[in-house]
Amino acid sequence: QVHLVQSGAELKKPGASVKVYCKASGYTFTAYYIHWVRQAPGQGLEWMGWINPNTGDTNYAQKFQGRVTMTRDTSITTAYMELSSLRSDDTAVFYCAREPGYNSGFDSWGQGTLVTVSS
Amino acid sequence: QSVVTQPPSASGTPGQRVAISCSGSTSHFAFNNVNWYQQFPGTAPKLLIYSNNQRHSGVPDRFSGSKSGTSASLAISGLQSEDEADYYCAAWDDSLNAWVFGGGTKLTVL
């Protein structure tokens, strides 16, 4: 059974960075892309980018380029998303999600990690 | 800039059929598949429909998807109270090299 388990809630000050992890289990970690999606309070879903866990290749949404870094550690089947230069409007729930293949959608999601940015 | 548009709200009574639309602003939407997600308050989204009209494993056949040109639609037949949730469509935009989500539709079962 596929599971994506994310790190716990974070409280950060403006200007700081946050690193969220997504621990995968129940499938071959390197076989499927991991995506990160953001949801601000009361708002919709916003795609941030993906990482290919096999190669480490990444593709970031233009909005986040320069501020986001996605990495992975295959030895512990974990993906990471680091967002820097945090602002108050970065307050959101961040989700990781698995894409099993082309045109397959995001079929499994982590439980979400709330990041609050406040002074 | 690619925009994917959904109505902010939809409603129906139990047993009814409701449809939620999703339209893309660029030709890229016409050439790419659309996926649909369901989200209950305080929980992660769940995949409902992928590749325009394929139901994800375990999704009841009351849910169906379709797409024509730059418009897609999620239909829910035999509406149930448990279907009350937010629904999002998403499509890949080749020009942005990015997934684009619609703004979401809040479905209310009256």
Side-chain angles (χ1 to χ4, degrees):
Chain A
Q1 192 175 4
V2 176
H3 280 297
L4 298 175
V5 177
Q6 299 183 222
S7 46
E10 302 263 13
L11 174 60
K12 294 293 183 181
K13 293 191 182 303
S17 297
V18 67
K19 191 170 186 177
V20 179
Y21 75 72
C22 172
K23 166 71 176 175
S25 62
Y27 72 99
T28 302
F29 177 65
T30 52
Y32 307 113
Y33 284 24
I34 291 287
H35 296 254
W36 290 89
V37 176
R38 182 172 86 166
Q39 187 170 37
Q43 301 301 308
L45 303 172
E46 181 175 33
W47 181 79
M48 299 180 69
W50 56 249
I51 182 168
N52 178 340
N54 186 40
T55 64
D57 290 344
T58 55
N59 176 36
Y60 303 142
Q62 190 171 10
K63 176 176 181 177
F64 298 101
Q65 283 179 5
R67 280 210 305 145
V68 70
T69 305
M70 297 178 188
T71 56
R72 92 292 189 214
D73 185 337
T74 57
S75 68
I76 56 171
T77 65
T78 299
Y80 302 89
M81 185 284 299
E82 183 171 20
L83 189 63
S84 62
S85 302
L86 290 170
R87 308 182 290 256
S88 58
D89 62 359
D90 288 317
T91 294
V93 175
F94 292 80
Y95 295 102
C96 62
R98 185 187 82 152
E99 181 183 15
Y102 181 69
N103 279 334
S104 298
F106 303 164
D107 73 336
S108 295
W109 294 65
Q111 83 276 20
T113 297
L114 173 63
V115 175
T116 303
V117 183
S118 174
S119 55
Chain B
Q1 183 73 15
S2 177
V3 175
V4 177
T5 302
Q6 298 180 235
S9 63
S11 64
T13 57
Q16 265 190 332
R17 178 184 184 276
V18 296
I20 297 172
S21 63
C22 170
S23 63
S25 64
T26 73
S27 60
H28 300 282
F29 189 86
F31 296 118
N32 289 314
N33 293 323
V34 173
N35 304 320
W36 290 91
Y37 300 89
Q38 177 189 57
Q39 185 181 33
F40 297 105
T43 69
K46 296 179 183 177
L47 179 63
L48 279 179
I49 301 288
Y50 65 94
S51 197
N52 300 327
N53 55 18
Q54 303 298 302
R55 271 186 302 276
H56 182 52
S57 175
V59 173
D61 59 8
R62 302 186 295 105
F63 293 86
S64 62
S66 63
K67 181 172 178 286
S68 178
T70 58
S71 293
S73 180
L74 172 71
I76 309 171
S77 60
L79 196 63
Q80 300 179 4
S81 59
E82 66 212 50
D83 299 330
E84 188 161 290
D86 294 324
Y87 293 85
Y88 294 90
C89 62
W92 178 256
D93 188 298
D94 295 312
S95 64
L96 295 177
N97 206 28
W99 281 96
V100 180
F101 283 92
T105 299
K106 182 177 181 60
L107 175 64
T108 301
V109 181
L110 302 169

